[in-house]
Amino acid sequence: MTTAVNNPEEMRPPEPPGLKTWIRKNLFHGWFNSLLTIISLALIIVVVIGLFRWIFFVADWEPVLNFPLIYLVGQYPREQLWRVGLMFAIYSLMMGLSWRKWSGIMRVLTLTYAGFFVVLAFWPAPIPTLELWMRAALLANLGIIALGYLIGGSKRLTPRVLLIAWLFSLVVSLFLLYGTPMLGILTLVPTNEWGGLLVTLLLAIGAIVLSFPLGVLLALGRRSTLPIIRIICTIFIETIRGVPLISILFMFSLIVPLLLPTGIRIDRLMRALIAMTIFSSAYTAENVRGGLAAIPFGQTEAAKAVGHSNFQITALIVLPQAIRLVIPPIVGQFISLFKDTTLASAIAVFELKLVGTSIINSEPEYLGLQMEVYGFIAVVFWILSYMMSHASRRLESSLGVGER
């Protein structure tokens, strides 16, 4: 026999423990836990104090502070830097539009993007290195972001139109950076003059954008009922996953040019991009295949029962659920790919790490300052990797990944 509880106070869950209770239970529960807590706090204090002292009193940040443009764009011609500034302005407008239209994730990314311009505009570098007009142009991007936010409230700007605009902006940015010999408006700037963070982001974003659809197609091909397609996709995936990225980069840098017909040459940066795309697509395919295998077969049978075609079942029912399930491993793969862009330095692509190494070797007094330069580069990679991870968590939360 059950009895109803009439007193609401008895139905209310207990209050969470206070700070003192939590500390006593989790940090000082018994002599062993108390000893571990004290030792850990002592180590943390020693590390923090030592790090603070090294950053502000010991380290020499001259090779970092004096070359902001080198770290950003490498040896890109200084008289053509307005093209890089115009590219930033386009992306600032797109970030503002996306913030207004997609809110949550894009708000954090846009604020971080705006913070980048603030930091660079007030970078403590000599005036000849970072001139006043450059600093003013960097701060002007904040106004462009605000303008995009205001325009983003238009009802005509649908998410589909905004996505197409993003793809178009990527093409326009490449056109601006490289130029064209046809119209004579923009002089050609070879990719061997590009460098720094520009090349790192270009390799990472390009490989991510290209490898994702290729990986999805490979995953679907590996589950195909046609033996020839399944065998080809399986061999491709297992072969690429069985060798390290550095070997694929060397193959595309040294072997592929020998196999091309005379007179045909693929740019070194393009070869690195193709190699990283192929490498990432194989791992993306396995992640997506895991998601496809997790979808109950009953959903496919039910869709067939109501008359859906195989294409409709895959594109509208199975694949969206599979990709939703594997967002964490896919983003983890993309973060790893972003960090692996440093391997492109092995084939003389001037990404961010190789630019830092070049600055160290440029002056004799910089030879002992590797810690400062590589520490700065590590912080840049950590910030961008954390932003990707944060965006992934926000996306998972909005899609309800891991919830029943």
Side-chain angles (χ1 to χ4, degrees):
M1 180 177 179
T2 60
T3 58
V5 179
N6 297 323
N7 188 0
E9 296 294 333
E10 298 181 5
M11 300 176 60
R12 184 176 301 169
E15 295 291 335
L19 180 61
K20 292 183 178 180
T21 304
W22 184 90
I23 293 176
R24 185 170 58 251
K25 181 180 179 181
N26 293 276
L27 300 180
F28 296 96
H29 183 68
W31 69 269
F32 185 70
N33 284 347
S34 301
L35 181 61
L36 288 179
T37 300
I38 294 172
I39 294 175
S40 300
L41 287 176
L43 289 176
I44 292 173
I45 292 173
V46 170
V47 170
V48 170
I49 293 176
L51 189 61
F52 179 85
R53 179 177 175 273
W54 179 80
I55 291 175
F56 293 100
F57 300 103
V58 177
D60 183 1
W61 297 103
E62 185 177 348
V64 174
L65 299 178
N66 289 349
F67 304 96
L69 294 179
I70 303 295
Y71 285 108
L72 185 61
V73 295
Q75 296 297 328
Y76 201 88
R78 294 302 176 259
E79 66 276 6
Q80 300 294 329
L81 282 179
W82 64 270
R83 290 152 69 165
V84 180
L86 183 56
M87 181 191 69
F88 282 146
I90 293 173
Y91 288 146
S92 296
L93 180 64
M94 295 303 303
M95 295 294 282
L97 294 172
S98 303
W99 180 6
R100 182 66 176 270
K101 186 60 63 177
W102 291 324
S103 185
I105 298 175
M106 292 307 303
R107 180 177 63 250
V108 178
L109 295 179
T110 305
L111 292 176
T112 305
Y113 183 73
F116 160 76
F117 291 114
V118 173
V119 171
L120 194 57
F122 293 98
W123 193 266
I127 293 299
T129 301
L130 198 58
E131 301 178 13
L132 290 177
W133 72 267
M134 295 181 182
R135 299 176 188 268
L138 291 169
L139 290 176
N141 283 276
L142 302 181
I144 298 175
I145 292 174
L147 177 63
Y149 183 82
L150 294 176
I151 299 175
S154 174
K155 294 182 179 180
R156 295 182 180 180
L157 186 67
T158 62
R160 179 178 298 179
V161 172
L162 187 57
L163 182 59
I164 295 175
W166 266 111
L167 296 176
F168 181 73
S169 66
L170 293 175
V171 176
V172 171
S173 64
L174 292 176
F175 174 79
L176 281 173
L177 292 174
Y178 189 73
T180 173
M182 298 176 59
L183 302 178
I185 301 175
L186 298 175
T187 58
L188 287 178
V189 179
T191 56
N192 57 9
E193 298 183 10
W194 303 10
L197 187 61
L198 175 66
V199 168
T200 294
L201 293 178
L202 179 63
L203 287 174
I205 295 174
I208 289 171
V209 171
L210 296 175
S211 67
F212 180 73
L214 180 58
V216 171
L217 292 177
L218 288 170
L220 295 175
R222 187 163 186 174
R223 290 170 55 89
S224 175
T225 56
L226 299 176
I228 184 64
I229 295 179
R230 185 174 64 252
I231 292 173
I232 291 174
C233 291
T234 301
I235 293 175
F236 177 87
I237 292 172
E238 296 302 330
T239 301
I240 298 300
R241 292 177 72 237
V243 295
L245 175 58
I246 190 68
S247 64
I248 299 178
L249 286 169
F250 275 121
M251 183 186 70
F252 274 84
S253 177
L254 302 176
I255 300 177
V256 170
L258 299 177
L259 304 178
L260 294 176
T262 305
I264 297 179
R265 178 181 177 275
I266 300 179
D267 185 81
R268 183 185 294 116
L269 180 60
M270 184 60 66
R271 279 178 275 168
L273 178 60
I274 295 173
M276 298 185 71
T277 299
I278 291 176
F279 181 81
S280 178
S281 65
Y283 284 87
T284 302
E286 285 300 278
N287 289 331
V288 174
R289 188 173 71 90
L292 293 172
I295 304 301
F297 188 69
Q299 294 194 19
T300 302
E301 294 295 322
K304 288 181 179 179
V306 296
H308 288 300
S309 64
N310 290 333
F311 176 80
Q312 290 175 325
I313 294 172
T314 301
L316 303 178
I317 299 175
V318 176
L319 192 57
Q321 295 184 77
I323 294 177
R324 173 181 172 273
L325 289 174
V326 295
I327 288 176
I330 286 179
V331 175
Q333 164 61 25
F334 289 160
I335 292 175
S336 177
L337 177 65
F338 169 61
K339 293 183 290 186
D340 285 342
T341 56
T342 56
L343 295 176
S345 61
I347 58 173
V349 174
F350 277 83
E351 44 74 44
L352 184 58
K353 185 184 72 67
L354 185 56
V355 166
T357 303
S358 301
I359 291 175
I360 293 173
N361 297 328
S362 64
E363 298 290 342
E365 60 267 24
Y366 294 162
L367 293 179
L369 303 178
Q370 292 91 342
M371 184 69 72
E372 288 83 347
V373 172
Y374 293 137
F376 166 73
I377 294 173
V379 169
V380 173
F381 271 93
W382 179 84
I383 291 174
L384 295 176
S385 299
Y386 178 79
M387 292 309 303
M388 295 174 65
S389 177
H390 179 76
S392 170
R393 292 198 303 271
R394 295 294 297 268
L395 182 61
E396 293 169 28
S397 177
S398 63
L399 295 178
V401 177
E403 300 178 1
R404 291 187 176 272

